[in-house]
């Protein structure tokens, strides 16, 4: 070590002592090396570190050999030597500290968070470290968690065909559906493609404006890790709750510092509000909650609770979820007391079938939330009768069904939504009549009828396999059943068709794959994959991701 | 004597790992008193894992490696106050039985102290405890105020 110090570094830290290299390891997993004199005090050492990382000196907590280093001691007194490692944890700013300690945070956090992914835990880890302590995460997570994700998802679907806005709206109102979609491999590969995600987000003009105005947000959107994390959160309610909790904590910390409150307000005004606007407008609904999948996610568990939250602002959790533009002026609860944890958690963890049932008189979209995903999944997806039965016996479901079917307007909407269906209805005027016959609809909601329907559906399905056109099958179904049952089948078909339409968005099956993937195909050709059919298959499986397609073509479908 | 040499080698090795942050690197540990030729008394630090109530906290522990280390586990106790299912709230000392029973419940985790093997190191203990903090039964426990000690 002596040799190293002598030879390489004439410029020294302090009192003519030779400087030695000391490794610093951050709790995020990143690592860097500084040169310092061992005679310098811990305080001076912290100041040195502050130049090399984003943590201000007064927030640094250094640990060496299991001990927390005190400012007035020298490094030597702790036995620090060359090449030793000091751990750095970001603590909260001392309560007495004034704005300076707070204001640098937003600037400094963005860059290192994204660029310095040296460590082992990278994206997630970095994000999380920043989370607990700084301003930015509150910001980053809120819009991202609340809005960015919505924007991503909403943009994702909104970017497609205009008529799917409807579907999208329904999606956002049904968290299960959302989660399911998130779990679909096709979507996952989409999400893993940062370029695609970015372009989707950018295709929303409001989003783009926000990003233009807040360049630091662009970092978030450009970091696939964060995007993925956000979507992960959408899929995993547990994680979501955790993030929310962390954000709350960060918020409360900010708020407790003098300038912090104003900071928060600015944050809300600059980012949160436009973000929400952007997402709500894509969702095309006046209801914040509805168009925010995250709110919806939590809404499912919190049920009516979260819904109320948007008005009463009682819980902080609710506030972040619903993203009120006005900062919360209520004092935040003590994070250590049972209540806070409980507050948000009970809110979200309440097992809530009842929540669904208690939901306000179903709007059209709300109906769709249940009607579409659950129905079509049950009907076309699973031939498992027992599962179906369980669902049918769920009072909440049947109630939803009832309200769904008692609204003729909604029926019309469904009909007009699906071009295939529209054609079908045009060809069969009786069908439309049937759909609008309240008597029939009431019968539909009868669990027994539903079960019957299921059986029929199964037989129908086998027929469907044999027959080419939907219309034919519908007709043959009609022939086999009684008049009422024929109606049911048609209805089922309708749901099935609708569902297919909804799910098909990401795959765009209407466009011939050669056209859809023209650029990718030519790329693959250039790379030396000449089998067009094979290429198309690979591109389809990977939703047009050339990289993944190549992996696949090379016999590595796991990627 | 034959006991002491391996013990000292072993502890010296651990000391170096602790000082240089080799290995997992998420925990820190070192000797209390560099002059103690038996290297018995150690201090360890666990940085609270992310996404738990422990996040951002620093927990200090005292490890005492008696002369039969590493044949026998060191005694481990928390210096910082902590609320964990495997820690006795009065004294900060581990409840060996509980750690053992955790091992029974969750086969993936090993009750390090209960089923001690000489290959285990203090680093293992600390990292395992850190994992324990992130375990579902610990991650959300209400914690005593930071900076209080047993």
């Amino acid at each position: 070590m002596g040799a190293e110090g002598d030879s390489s570094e004439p410029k020294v830290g302090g009192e003519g002592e030779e400087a030695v290299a000391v490794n610093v390891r951050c709790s995020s997993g990143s690592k860097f090396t500084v040169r310092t004199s061992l005679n310098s005090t811990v305080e001076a050492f912290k100041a040195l570190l502050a130049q090399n990382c984003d943590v201000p000196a007064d927030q640094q907590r250094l640990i060496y050999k299991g001990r927390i280093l005190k400012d007035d001691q020298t490094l030597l007194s702790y036995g620090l030597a060359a090449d030793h490692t000091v751990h750095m944890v970001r603590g909260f700013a001392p309560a007495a500290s004034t704005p300076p300690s707070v204001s640098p945070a937003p600037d400094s956090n963005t860059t290192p968070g994204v660029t310095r992914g040296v460590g082992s835990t990278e994206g997630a880890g970095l994000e999380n470290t920043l989370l607990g302590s700084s301003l930015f995460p509150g910001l980053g997570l809120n819009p991202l968690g609340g809005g960015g994700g919505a924007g991503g998802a909403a943009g994702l679907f909104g970017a497609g065909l205009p008529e799917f806005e409807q579907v999208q709206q329904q999606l956002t109102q049904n968290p299960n559906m959302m989660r399911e979609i998130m779990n679909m491999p096709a979507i996952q590969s989409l999400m893993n493609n940062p370029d695609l995600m970015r372009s989707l987000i950018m295709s929303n003009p409001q989003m783009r404006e926000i990003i233009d105005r807040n360049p630091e947000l662009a970092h978030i959107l450009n970091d696939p890790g964060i995007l993925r994390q956000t979507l992960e959160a959408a899929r995993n309610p547990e994680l979501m709750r955790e993030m929310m909790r962390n954000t709350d904590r960060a918020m409360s910390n900010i708020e407790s510092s003098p300038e912090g409150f104003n900071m928060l307000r600015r944050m809300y005004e600059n980012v949160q509000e436009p973000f929400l606007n952007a997402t709500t407008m894509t969702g095309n609904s006046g209801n914040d909650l509805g168009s925010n999948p995250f709110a919806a996610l939590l809404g499912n568990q919190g049920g009516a609770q979260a819904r109320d939250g948007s008005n009463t602002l009682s819980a902080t959790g609710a506030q972040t979820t619903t993203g009120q533009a006005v900062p919360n002026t209520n004092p935040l609860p003590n994070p250590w007391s049972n209540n806070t944890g409980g507050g948000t958690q009970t809110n979200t963890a309440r097992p809530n079938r009842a929540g669904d049932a208690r939901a306000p008189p179903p709007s059209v979209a709300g109906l769709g939330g249940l009607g579409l995903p659950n129905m079509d999944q049950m009907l076309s997806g699973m031939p498992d009768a027992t599962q179906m039965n369980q669902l049918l016996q769920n009072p909440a479901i049947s109630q939803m069904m009832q309200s769904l079917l008692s609204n003729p307007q909604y029926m019309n909407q469904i009909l007009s939504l699906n071009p295939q269906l529209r054609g079908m209805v045009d060809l069969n005027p009786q069908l439309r009549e049937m759909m609008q016959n309240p008597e029939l609809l009431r019968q539909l909601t009868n669990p027994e009828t539903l079960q019957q329907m299921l059986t029929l559906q199964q037989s129908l399905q086998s027929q469907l396999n044999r027959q080419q056109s939907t219309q034919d099958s519908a007709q043959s179904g009609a022939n086999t059943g009684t008049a009422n049952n024929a109606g049911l089948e048609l209805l089922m078909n309708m749901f099935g068709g609708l569902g297919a339409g909804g799910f098909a968005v990401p795959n765009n099956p209407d466009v011939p794959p050669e056209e859809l993937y023209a650029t990718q195909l030519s790329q693959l050709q250039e790379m030396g994959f000449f089998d067009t059919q094979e290429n198309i298959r690979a591109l389809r499986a990977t939703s047009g991701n050339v990289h993944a397609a190549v992996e696949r073509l090379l016999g590595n479908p796991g990627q | 004597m034959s006991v002491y040499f391996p013990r000292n080698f072993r502890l010296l090795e651990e000391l170096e790992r602790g000082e240089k942050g080799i290995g997992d690197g998420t925990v820190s540990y070192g000797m209390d008193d560099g002059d103690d030729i038996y290297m018995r008394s150690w201090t360890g630090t666990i940085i609270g894992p992310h996404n738990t109530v422990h996040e951002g906290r620093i927990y200090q522990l005292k490890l005492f490696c008696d002369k039969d280390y590493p044949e026998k586990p060191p005694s481990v106790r928390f210096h910082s106050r902590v609320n964990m299912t495997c820690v006795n709230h009065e004294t900060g000392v581990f409840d060996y039985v509980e750690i053992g029973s955790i091992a029974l419940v969750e086969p993936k985790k090993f009750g390090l102290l209960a089923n001690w093997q000489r290959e285990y190191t203090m680093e293992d203990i600390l990292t395992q405890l850190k994992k324990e903090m992130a375990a579902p039964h610990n991650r959300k426990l209400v914690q005593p105020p930071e900076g209080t000690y047993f």
Side-chain angles (χ1 to χ4, degrees):
Chain A
M1 85 180 196
E4 194 191 31
D6 291 339
S7 58
S8 55
E9 288 298 311
K11 59 161 185 170
V12 284
E15 309 80 40
E17 268 299 313
E18 66 202 44
V20 295
V22 175
N23 299 315
V24 179
R25 195 162 193 149
C26 305
S27 53
S28 57
S30 59
K31 212 173 164 182
F32 59 93
T33 304
V34 293
R35 300 191 69 84
T36 180
S37 157
L38 291 178
N39 279 336
S40 63
T41 61
V42 171
E43 201 171 3
F45 183 59
K46 281 182 177 175
L48 180 69
L49 294 186
Q51 297 163 18
N52 286 280
C53 67
D54 57 317
V55 186
D58 60 351
Q59 287 184 33
Q60 292 174 11
R61 297 165 85 186
L62 302 180
I63 301 165
Y64 171 66
K65 286 212 243 179
R67 277 182 286 182
I68 300 173
L69 306 189
K70 295 196 174 70
D71 280 353
D72 50 354
Q73 303 284 312
T74 64
L75 297 179
L76 202 58
S77 71
Y78 287 103
L80 197 75
D83 295 329
H84 283 189
T85 296
V86 174
H87 290 256
M88 182 173 76
V89 181
R90 186 189 193 122
F92 298 126
S97 86
T98 35
S101 67
V102 178
S103 46
D107 303 321
S108 50
N109 276 328
T110 47
T111 25
V114 180
T115 52
R116 200 149 45 82
V118 201
S120 47
T121 41
E122 72 245 291
L126 282 171
E127 176 75 352
N128 285 337
T129 0
L130 298 177
L131 228 181
S133 42
S134 68
L135 249 188
F136 191 66
L139 214 178
L141 271 182
N142 251 337
L144 247 204
L156 179 65
F157 299 106
L161 310 170
E163 61 184 283
F164 286 120
E165 237 168 79
Q166 202 79 32
V167 178
Q168 165 198 346
Q169 201 177 332
Q170 286 153 359
L171 273 182
T172 52
Q173 297 212 336
N174 185 324
N176 284 331
M177 180 71 171
M178 187 76 192
R179 221 169 295 145
E180 232 141 61
I181 290 197
M182 289 298 187
N183 282 327
M184 275 164 54
I187 297 282
Q188 277 186 7
S189 64
L190 273 185
M191 299 311 176
N192 289 337
N193 182 348
D195 289 335
L196 187 58
M197 285 303 292
R198 206 174 322 143
S199 66
L200 282 172
I201 291 172
M202 285 310 202
S203 71
N204 178 335
Q206 281 121 331
M207 283 295 227
R208 205 172 38 226
E209 201 190 311
I210 296 167
I211 291 163
D212 287 345
R213 258 189 290 137
N214 304 279
E216 67 267 25
L217 285 180
H219 280 292
I220 303 175
L221 298 172
N222 286 336
D223 183 358
I226 297 184
L227 278 178
R228 215 173 306 138
Q229 218 191 346
T230 313
L231 290 156
E232 195 71 32
R235 215 182 306 150
N236 182 351
E238 182 78 4
L239 191 58
M240 185 65 205
R241 241 172 289 153
E242 204 56 56
M243 283 173 129
M244 287 298 189
R245 196 182 59 75
N246 281 331
T247 313
D248 278 354
R249 229 179 102 186
M251 291 288 208
S252 65
N253 283 313
I254 299 163
E255 242 175 291
S256 64
S257 90
E259 200 22 36
F261 183 78
N262 289 335
M263 203 75 182
L264 264 184
R265 171 183 310 219
R266 262 189 312 248
M267 204 164 85
Y268 267 111
E269 279 164 6
N270 289 343
V271 184
Q272 180 89 334
E273 211 174 353
F275 241 124
L276 268 170
N277 283 344
T279 47
T280 43
M281 272 149 107
T282 18
N284 203 10
S285 90
N287 174 357
D288 282 3
L289 248 171
S291 55
N292 182 340
F294 293 84
L297 256 182
L298 294 176
N300 186 39
Q301 274 125 0
Q305 213 82 15
R307 234 162 244 273
D308 294 342
S310 63
N311 296 325
T312 57
L313 262 187
S314 55
T316 45
Q319 197 210 3
T320 34
T321 328
T322 53
Q324 295 286 310
V326 190
N328 184 5
T329 47
N330 299 337
L332 275 152
N334 172 9
W336 306 122
S337 80
N338 231 338
N339 274 347
T340 0
T344 32
Q345 268 149 33
T346 43
N347 232 356
T348 46
R350 192 159 299 161
N352 226 338
R353 282 288 142 215
D356 288 345
R358 257 188 293 146
S363 64
V364 172
L367 291 170
L370 178 100
L372 296 182
N374 289 348
M375 276 297 279
D376 82 53
Q377 244 221 334
M378 289 185 314
L379 295 180
S380 60
M382 36 175 106
D384 184 355
T386 54
Q387 211 166 345
M388 175 75 175
N389 278 343
Q390 268 174 3
L391 275 167
L392 292 182
Q393 265 139 34
N394 185 331
I397 298 254
S398 64
Q399 200 175 341
M400 288 290 256
M401 282 289 289
Q402 217 147 10
S403 46
L404 179 150
L405 295 168
S406 61
N407 186 345
Q409 230 183 344
Y410 179 60
M411 284 303 184
N412 283 336
Q413 211 157 4
I414 293 181
L415 293 182
S416 54
L417 235 164
N418 189 332
Q420 198 188 9
L421 262 180
R422 217 177 308 151
M424 208 161 88
V425 174
D426 288 346
L427 285 172
N428 304 281
Q430 304 110 308
L431 176 61
R432 187 187 288 276
E433 237 158 74
M434 263 188 266
M435 305 303 309
Q436 279 155 3
N437 178 356
E439 180 66 16
L440 167 67
L441 294 176
R442 203 160 37 77
Q443 280 193 359
L444 271 178
T445 58
N446 181 344
E448 277 168 43
T449 323
L450 281 171
Q451 270 174 20
Q452 226 177 344
M453 197 161 93
L454 178 70
T455 340
L456 268 161
Q457 163 78 8
Q458 278 165 347
S459 62
L460 189 70
Q461 203 108 54
S462 56
Q463 279 188 347
L464 266 173
N465 291 340
R466 266 178 267 130
Q467 304 199 353
Q468 288 300 322
S469 91
T470 347
Q471 204 200 327
D472 281 355
S473 72
Q475 224 119 47
S476 73
N479 290 340
T480 51
T482 66
N484 267 353
N485 282 339
L488 299 181
E489 282 151 5
L490 286 171
L491 190 68
M492 275 186 299
N493 257 341
M494 188 179 70
F495 280 127
L498 230 190
F503 275 120
V505 190
N507 291 332
N508 266 346
D510 299 342
V511 188
E514 290 86 351
E515 252 175 65
L516 188 62
Y517 298 128
T519 48
Q520 289 98 322
L521 273 176
S522 66
Q523 265 176 293
L524 285 176
Q525 289 272 356
E526 281 164 25
M527 287 183 211
F529 297 99
F530 298 115
D531 186 342
T532 313
Q533 286 313 309
E534 192 69 26
N535 290 353
I536 288 176
R537 219 169 299 142
L539 282 170
R540 267 197 162 148
T542 57
S543 311
N545 182 336
V546 177
H547 182 73
V550 169
E551 294 264 354
R552 203 184 162 85
L553 287 168
L554 292 174
N556 204 356
Q559 300 301 305
Chain B
M1 281 308 267
S2 59
V3 178
Y4 285 105
F5 277 125
R7 177 182 183 278
N8 281 0
F9 282 141
R10 165 69 181 274
L11 285 171
L12 280 171
E13 192 185 315
E14 290 197 41
L15 184 64
E16 190 185 345
R17 286 176 69 89
E19 282 170 344
K20 299 202 171 165
I22 304 171
D24 174 75
T26 61
V27 294
S28 173
Y29 51 97
M31 271 169 59
D32 273 347
D33 174 8
D35 295 333
D36 179 7
I37 56 165
Y38 295 112
M39 300 188 275
R40 284 173 297 201
S41 189
W42 294 66
T43 298
T45 304
I46 299 174
I47 297 164
H50 299 307
N51 295 327
T52 67
V53 293
H54 309 281
E55 179 165 341
R57 293 184 151 216
I58 299 174
Y59 293 103
Q60 284 195 289
L61 297 94
K62 295 286 181 199
L63 299 100
F64 189 84
C65 300
D66 221 332
K67 292 183 181 173
D68 47 11
Y69 183 85
E71 309 302 330
K72 293 276 163 53
S75 79
V76 185
R77 62 190 177 84
F78 267 88
H79 183 47
S80 315
R81 277 197 175 272
V82 68
N83 188 3
M84 281 174 76
T85 52
C86 60
V87 177
N88 182 313
H89 293 205
E90 299 307 311
T91 60
V93 179
F94 284 98
D95 193 329
Y96 283 40
V97 183
E98 276 217 44
I99 283 218
S101 68
I102 286 165
L104 286 180
V105 175
E106 186 87 68
K108 272 189 209 161
K109 299 202 175 81
F110 44 101
L112 257 183
L113 297 178
N115 307 317
W116 180 261
Q117 294 181 18
R118 62 167 295 139
E119 292 77 31
Y120 296 161
T121 62
M122 285 180 278
E123 183 185 326
D124 291 332
I125 295 175
L126 295 174
T127 49
Q128 188 63 33
L129 275 170
K130 185 170 179 167
K131 277 189 202 145
E132 225 7 76
M133 286 178 180
H137 50 270
N138 281 322
R139 59 188 296 178
K140 293 193 173 134
L141 289 183
V142 179
Q143 295 299 319
E146 203 171 358
T148 54
Y149 298 97
F150 282 111

